[in-house]
Amino acid sequence: MVVRDLQTCPQTIQLLSDLLSMSVSEFLKETQHHTLPYLILLKKKDIILRVAQASGGDSTWSICVKDKNLTATLALLFVQEFTDVEGTTMALLREASPMFDKLELEEFAQSLPIPVAAELLKTAGDQVSGNKSRAHQAIQILASLASKKVGQSKGKTSVGWFFETYVLGLMTQFAESINDVGLRISSLEKRRCLRAIEEMIKLAKRYIVDGLPQVSTTEYIFVVFFLRGVSQICACLQSALEVDDLRDQAFSAWATMVVTLTEDDIGVLLGNTFSIVVQYWNVFRPETQQRAVDMIESLLRTCNGLIQSGISTIPSLKSIPALSKFELEFGKLRNQVDVRHQYEAFSARCQHENVTVVEQALSELVPFLQNNQTFLHISAVSEQPDAVIGELTRSILDACVRFNDSRPGIASLCAQSLGLIGCLDPNRVEAVRGKKDILVQDNFERADEAIEFVIFFLQEILVKAFLSATDPKAQGFLAYVIQELLKFCAFDTGITLRSRLDGNSNANVRRWLAIPLSVRNTLTPFLNSRYSLKVNILKPESTYPIFPSERSHGSWLRAFVLDLLGKAVGENAAMIFPVCIRVIRAQDISIANFLLPFVALNVIVGGTDQQRVDIGGELLAVLDHQPLDDTHIRRESLKHSSETVFQVLDYLSRWMQERKKQIASSGRTLTAKKDKSTQVEGDEKSLEVQVYRVEQVLSMIPADIISRRAVECKSYARALFHWEMYIRQERDSAQTNDKEVQLERLFERMQDIYTQIDEPDGIEGISAHLHVLNIDQQILEHRKAGRWTAVQSWYELLLAENPDDINIKVNLLTCLKESGQHEVLLNNLEGLSQPNTSATLKLLPFAVEASWVTGKWDKLEEYLSGLTGSYSGDFNVGIGQALLALYKNDREKFSEIIRQLRENVAKGLTSPTTVSLQACHDPMLKLHVLTDVEYLSGTSKQKDVDRSSLFELLDRRLEVVGAFLSDKLYLLGLRRATMQLSSLNMTKDDIASAWLTSARLARKANFIHQSFNAVLHASQLGALSATIEHSRLLWAEGHHRKAIQSLEGAIAANVFRVHNFDSASSVTTSITLPQEQQNIHSARANLLLAKWLDTAGQTQSQSIILRYQKACSAHIRWEKGHYYLGRHYNKLFESERALPPNKRAQTFVNGEIAKLVIQSYLRSLSYGAKYIFQTLPRLLTLWLDLGAEAEEPVDPKAGNHEEFRAHIFQQRKKMLATVHTAVKRYIEKLPAFVWFTAFPQIVARICHPNTSVYSILQDIIVKVVSTHPQQALWALLAIVRSSSGPRANRGNQCLAKIKDNVKRSRPEASGVDVRTMVLQGQKLSTQLLHVCEAEIVGKPTSVSLMKDLGFNHRAAPCPLVVPLETTLTASLPTIPDTMKRHEAFARDTVTVAAFLDEVAVLNSLQRPRKVSVRGSDGRVYGLLCKPKDDLRKDQRLMTFNGMINRSLKKDAEASLRRLYIKTYAVTPLNEECGLIEWVDNLKPLRDILLKLYKSKSISPNYPELRILLDEACSSPSKLSIFSEKILPSFPPVFHEWFIEMFPEPGAWFAARLKYTRSCAVMSMVGMVLGLGDRHGENILFEEGNGGTFHVDFNCLFDKGLTFEKPEKVPFRLTHNMVDAFGIYGYEGPFRKSCELTMKILRQNEDTLMTILEAFLYDPTTDFIGKKRKSNSEVPDTPRGVLDSVQNKVRGLLQGESVPLSVEGHVHELIQQAVSPANLAAMYIGWCAFL
């Protein structure tokens, strides 16, 4: 009005201008885009001219056509109620300026569609619902004008086309206003933008639907609109939701979007939507809350199916009373989901890209974990921990890393969740972060490879950078790069339509669909964006070396990458890399860091010689640089630069190894072209030249320089990798030049590296090669091995000489702390003063920990009194502060300190420190500690804490820590300290119980002094049961008689108030016990006494039996008591059996002892599954043998009188009847999975001659198959298909009874139709037998499953499981009380879905064939069909190896080293054919070595070698031929395979350790079993991890000694295998792993012998086989085999009567294995020279 009346009332505008302190002209200029539209509408041309002049123009045209003014004008004129809007608009414009006569209205509409539409949408949003029609009509006009001459798809309305085309631009404009960081846009205007977005969503859907009645096309177009705008809409609305003034309007728009979308499209927003409601409900206005209620009701009506399927992703609404009716319905759906699947859902929600979803998920996860920890903890300590544990932990760790900086609240929730999960043993549960990387093999020459690189670059780097960018300019550059790279990939707007309509029609569509949906949503807007650069960037030339002239890491990296980007070689590289130059300068260094390896390789391979020299020199300059100004900032910068160089070197090495593989697979040999002048045209791209060029650059950087810098960067695996290379180079150089190399100095440096590596055996391996260990090296070895007491004395001497040396004092205190001498530690710290000095701060953590461990609170207060403020530098000091607050009853301060400590730990969880559970073990332990302290303190918000349940929970939490003894002792120390201060009224017995748990753990780890100390503390607290633990210590020390007397006294005194005697499977600390628990402790004490009396051999058998029986009667439901009673009976049985028949007791002859063993073992099985593999195979053997003997006459040798033999015969019948009664009772009582564990043994004896035994066997088989048909039918169908008529007949009888059972009663198999399953299983088994037996003509490498092998594809799908180890292995309960309800197999087990038609045929004698099975999970699994091979032997051996694996997992030291034997499923189909689970990526040792030798132009001349070997064996004087002539011809090369397969140092070190340890385990197990024929084809290696894999177990029980050339070596340990262990050879990890394995074999002798006996005495399988020639040393009877194996386990060498110790036995075996005499005597095919 003021401007309009400028001429009539000029004083008004003057007054207003004066008020605003500006001139009239300035006022007109600043307000023009508000006033000009109305001036045009009112035809005030003169005033328009005045405004133009005020703005510096000389005509009305100049002011009217400004974008902002024209936008506002068109928006105003389009909403006027003109009869002809378009005509009137143009008339008014022409009235304002004649220049408009030359233009058409659509030209303006097409030039400014987005800003005009934005204004019109704001206008529509400003109106109430009834007054929006004018604005909607105006949008129609704009859309119609904008679409003219542009062209649009038929069937679309102009409005539909308009929104589809311009949604991105509109959202960009709205988002810029809403997210305005410069505070230039008012809250009012931002709310207008939010209303405009809501209006746009409504209009877009309405016009598209109205204009396009065809459903499919309609849905597609709206989906395109949705996909193009949804990520921007969601991001924009979510940022607005965080602002108080905008929240309600933002949610209104969100709710409109949700109710507008269809069920198919809303899935990605479902969890996010509910999370927003929960998060903001309390700050919503009442009308917004009602809008949320309406929205949820709408969702329940329209998307009920989606909600049901995704209920686990929907957050709880419990905290909102107004939504209780919805939560009630959701709660019913959640109750249908088991705990495991709920954890799966939490894992997925924690990985969600939306921060609101993640935060809400974590806030729900914390209370869920508090109530459901049991599932995780029980599974974590089971034989096969559930994968969901690792997945959940991984997702929480990743969420913590993602939001650590931006959302501390989320990081805190993550820390709480991790603390509740506990410090999981990484040797049992692993959660390795998947490493995403890409290798560009052909240097961007191939377009498809270049596109794959660009997609990876976009997905993993650029999109994340774009979404996290806050600087608009930087975001603009990123947008431009994304746009250009999408063009390079040929992704355009049509890709979204083709991907929806054509599916996987072409490669480009498949590439697009392979990109995650969330990433595609971000990329879609850039498919038709029009970003451009106005000015080309000038890239300055760099002078090499760039480093160190660029002082910071970032500036050096940018300069280096920018220079290389401009030198990109090749058409594709030239299109990709230069585009990225802009973002290198504008962004953080993550993009430059990613690109450097790729662009460096591109230039190295395709660039000039000078460029290669420059790059190599640059990398060397960084690693060899020693800064003069050694400041912290400079050191950190140099460290980061060095790590970048390491990244480049790793990529170059990896690329080079892949190229070498490619060369080798093509049949060529790699010949380096040293004379570059000889290269011919076209040779530039040859693989050999490319490899040579990369090698040329790598060779410029000496290994010792890399190793030195790696140590400085704490990259110890890399330091070791390159230092070993350096040692090999020095050693080879010395041999070539006939010089002596000083290896001691090099080994000492390696020892320094090993001190920093978490590998306990390497230092000992190196020490074995040092002639004399100086005192420092001895101390180092003792410390690494945990022998702290041995080191303590030395540090005490040093400290006496140098009392002021703080480092010596720290070392001494470390010894005292680790050995549990906290009282002594405190004495050493008497007089600690000057609290804030650097020396004191080093000692303070020791003082604080020792104070709270010993409960000396006055000392703790004294040490902490000098600290000013909160001390967060050391965790233990923080714990001390928290406990001191608890001591002073300051609960608030205690909680605050715990919160701060948790936040500090969470801040330390970075990407490198959380790459695996092993890497983040320390922070996980700290979080575990904080949770335990909270539980015990009594400050928990939970009321009425059940102390008994609390201790059970803490015991389970302690178990999950696994083999980390020091961590367990630390937790127990904290537990005791907190219990003293707790408000939960802990008793002295509670604390004493914790002391006794510490004593037991220390005793088992052989820390006797520490254990005695703990027992003493428990005794001081009045724990009478400490006497029992004291007795154990006496026994451990060898004072057996005294230990027995002490224990007898304790039992007589009935000292069972605290239960801490022995539970091999659990750690227990608890409170005063009820009668039932007191009974279990009485039982344990009596059992312990019985075992000691039995071992000591000083008591009559009957007295020992009575003592065992007393243990059983004390607690009848205790598995262990019955097991040991049965074990003692079995010992008597074996003693009697070893006697001559006429000397055996009548109780043995009549079967009574066997009956007692069987009954005891059956009782044991009914109360738990811990001893199942010791009891079940043995009781089956005894029962089946007793049944067979009952049918046969008594041996006359047992007694001469006929009447006596008749009496014995009747007694046997009677005993058998008693056994049958017991077995029948337990068939019903025991769960089917118990019998399933011995199912192969059971079905093998199906032809038992005793009909009553067969009848019971049949009942067992029927129960197992009826309950677990998917797994058990495989074994039964093999019997049905037997070539033996009687066996097949009995198998069919079992099947008939199973079918009949199903008719009469409901099967236990959860409603599965067993009859149908049997029929389908029979069909599949028949077809697989056809595949095995079909003759293959010629030597094809692949055949058709249907055409060539006669397989009928209609046999699949089949409900039987795919026969894999994972699907056929029953999981066992870890808690006895859960036996009956335990689920042994997963509900969603993998079944057979289909067979692929292509079959690979192996080139061995019987032509085994590999078939591919598609499982019900969609994955493809391999099965090897083996013809003419009885696989029952292999199956039983896998069972034996599985038992060894279980024993290895239970042992702390073996578990720490992850010792294992690789096993796989073996499924016989009959006696001659079967299936073997295919293990991918295996490589035979022979193939590996011959390939490596071929690359060095070395090949074995077998005829010549045979002559030389024979000559070497002819006499001892000629043995040197083998060592000095044959072996030098084949220098060790196996270590090179590990370098090739694992070029990244960390992976190389892990793979080599896995190879060494797995080789050691199998060497010991193979030796015990007499496994021979270990030639290079029977030992394979896993290409993924380096593990050893053995095949072909036909040569067992020393059969190799019967060969024409007897195998004298106990296992394969040739020079190549030893060399691949590392520089230290078989010392260190190999020897230690051998010793541990042998120790465990000895400890589990009874179990292993029991399983082996069950195999050997199986009459259906010949495990011994026929000898090739007689050898008295080789047993030929089952008893002989068992004796031979037992002697080996016990350490008895052939012909010796005194057993060797474990260490002596292993040493002797290694010497035999590497003996030149033994190796030279091996047959030529064994290849002892390889």
Side-chain angles (χ1 to χ4, degrees), residues 159-281:
V159 176
W161 169 88
F162 184 85
F163 281 121
E164 181 188 340
T165 305
Y166 295 113
V167 61
L168 167 63
L170 286 165
M171 276 312 305
T172 301
Q173 184 154 329
F174 291 141
E176 285 178 357
S177 297
I178 294 169
N179 298 326
D180 169 53
V181 293
L183 303 178
R184 293 173 289 112
I185 310 296
S186 67
S187 293
L188 178 63
E189 180 63 19
K190 290 179 180 180
R191 286 195 294 274
R192 288 189 73 219
C193 291
L194 289 167
R195 286 194 292 270
I197 293 172
E198 185 174 358
E199 202 65 33
M200 178 179 68
I201 294 169
K202 293 176 184 176
L203 280 172
K205 181 69 173 181
R206 193 185 85 191
Y207 276 102
I208 291 171
V209 173
D210 289 347
L212 295 167
Q214 301 94 340
V215 176
S216 60
T217 313
T218 300
E219 287 181 354
Y220 161 68
I221 293 175
F222 189 67
V223 165
V224 171
F225 163 78
F226 172 71
L227 287 177
R228 289 192 176 180
V230 70
S231 59
Q232 286 79 6
I233 293 173
C234 291
C236 181
L237 296 182
Q238 281 178 313
S239 63
L241 281 164
E242 296 178 6
V243 181
D244 293 341
D245 287 347
L246 309 180
R247 184 174 297 119
D248 294 277
Q249 192 61 58
F251 182 77
S252 178
W254 186 283
T256 298
M257 177 174 66
V258 169
V259 299
T260 302
L261 296 173
T262 64
E263 184 173 356
D264 291 339
D265 302 322
I266 200 177
V268 294
L269 296 177
L270 190 64
N272 202 355
T273 298
F274 282 94
S275 295
I276 287 171
V277 172
V278 173
Q279 185 177 6
Y280 296 112
W281 178 267

Side-chain angles (χ1 to χ4, degrees), residues 25 96 111 113 119 161 231 239 247 355 359 391 507 597 615 619 688 850 858 1133 1239 1305 1473 1727:
S25 294
S111 65
E119 288 300 319
W161 169 88
S231 59
S239 63
R247 184 174 297 119
V355 62
E359 188 166 18
E391 292 167 3
I615 293 173
L619 301 178
E688 290 86 349
D858 54 340
F1133 180 91
F1239 204 54
S1305 63
C1473 300
C1727 298

Side-chain angles (χ1 to χ4, degrees), residues 1604-1619:
E1604 185 178 345
K1605 279 204 164 190
E1607 292 190 353
K1608 296 182 179 180
V1609 293
F1611 43 82
R1612 188 180 189 95
L1613 201 62
T1614 56
H1615 68 305
N1616 261 303
M1617 295 189 71
V1618 172
D1619 179 69

Side-chain angles (χ1 to χ4, degrees), residues 437-490:
D437 54 17
I438 188 170
L439 184 69
V440 184
Q441 289 192 23
D442 288 319
N443 199 31
F444 299 95
E445 293 296 331
R446 291 193 350 255
D448 60 332
E449 185 182 60
I451 291 172
E452 292 299 326
F453 167 80
V454 168
I455 292 173
F456 185 88
F457 185 29
L458 288 166
Q459 181 176 321
E460 299 299 326
I461 307 296
L462 290 180
V463 166
K464 293 175 181 178
F466 177 78
L467 294 175
S468 62
T470 55
D471 179 12
K473 185 177 180 181
Q475 197 173 42
F477 285 133
L478 280 165
Y480 169 74
V481 173
I482 292 172
Q483 166 191 286
E484 295 304 302
L485 292 178
L486 287 171
K487 288 179 184 176
F488 174 82
C489 297

Side-chain angles (χ1 to χ4, degrees), residues 333-346:
L333 294 174
R334 287 194 192 95
N335 290 336
Q336 300 171 15
V337 183
D338 61 24
V339 173
R340 184 187 184 281
H341 286 89
Q342 289 191 63
Y343 275 126
E344 278 186 338
F346 276 118

